[in-house]
Amino acid sequence: MEVKVQYMVDLDEIPKEVVKLLPYGVDVFDNRLSNIVSLVEDASYSLSLDEIEALRVEMYKIDQRLADCQAILKGYLSIKNRPPEPESQDIGLEQLQGMLQSHEEGVVDDSAS
């Protein structure tokens, strides 16, 4: 069963976390492929099928890990490239009361009709 794991890190730490998630040891596939070739050439078809299946499972896991890294980096870039939000303006109590009063004056009372 596969599950997604979620945890929080500081925004600036995301690239370092992606590096940690990247799959390493992919270069061993050359040896495994050579082994499969040898098995096929030796007519060990059942063993070669087992090795092919095992390699495909490992490649699937690596693909999933790479997809996760890709999604994380896309999200990171979308946040980093987002235009800065305008600074919020502090509204004083008097301004807020004035805004509420002007809003209330603009509302028509339909209950009399």
Side-chain angles (χ1 to χ4, degrees):
M1 173 192 302
E2 293 180 345
V3 297
K4 289 276 185 183
V5 177
Q6 185 175 5
Y7 60 98
M8 294 180 61
V9 297
D10 188 71
L11 180 65
D12 294 329
E13 295 295 314
I14 289 177
K16 290 178 186 175
E17 292 297 316
V18 169
V19 168
K20 290 179 190 176
L21 291 173
L22 286 170
Y24 293 98
V26 178
D27 55 338
V28 299
F29 289 139
D30 285 339
N31 293 336
R32 297 205 51 195
L33 286 171
S34 295
N35 185 40
I36 292 169
V37 168
S38 296
L39 289 170
V40 172
E41 289 174 344
D42 293 341
S44 298
Y45 304 123
S46 292
L47 287 175
S48 64
L49 285 172
D50 292 342
E51 282 296 310
I52 290 170
E53 179 63 22
L55 183 58
R56 291 185 72 225
V57 168
E58 280 190 49
M59 291 174 70
Y60 170 78
K61 289 177 184 178
I62 289 171
D63 182 58
Q64 291 300 303
R65 182 65 66 92
L66 289 171
D68 290 343
C69 291
Q70 183 180 28
I72 291 168
L73 284 175
K74 280 183 181 178
Y76 175 75
L77 283 176
S78 71
I79 290 171
K80 291 300 262 186
N81 293 333
R82 185 183 315 161
E85 295 180 11
E87 292 187 28
S88 63
Q89 296 176 345
D90 291 334
I91 298 175
L93 182 58
E94 290 177 8
Q95 277 184 300
L96 184 58
Q97 287 174 334
M99 290 169 64
L100 286 172
Q101 185 177 10
S102 65
H103 176 70
E104 289 173 354
E105 290 172 358
V107 175
V108 178
D109 186 7
D110 288 347
S111 61
S113 25

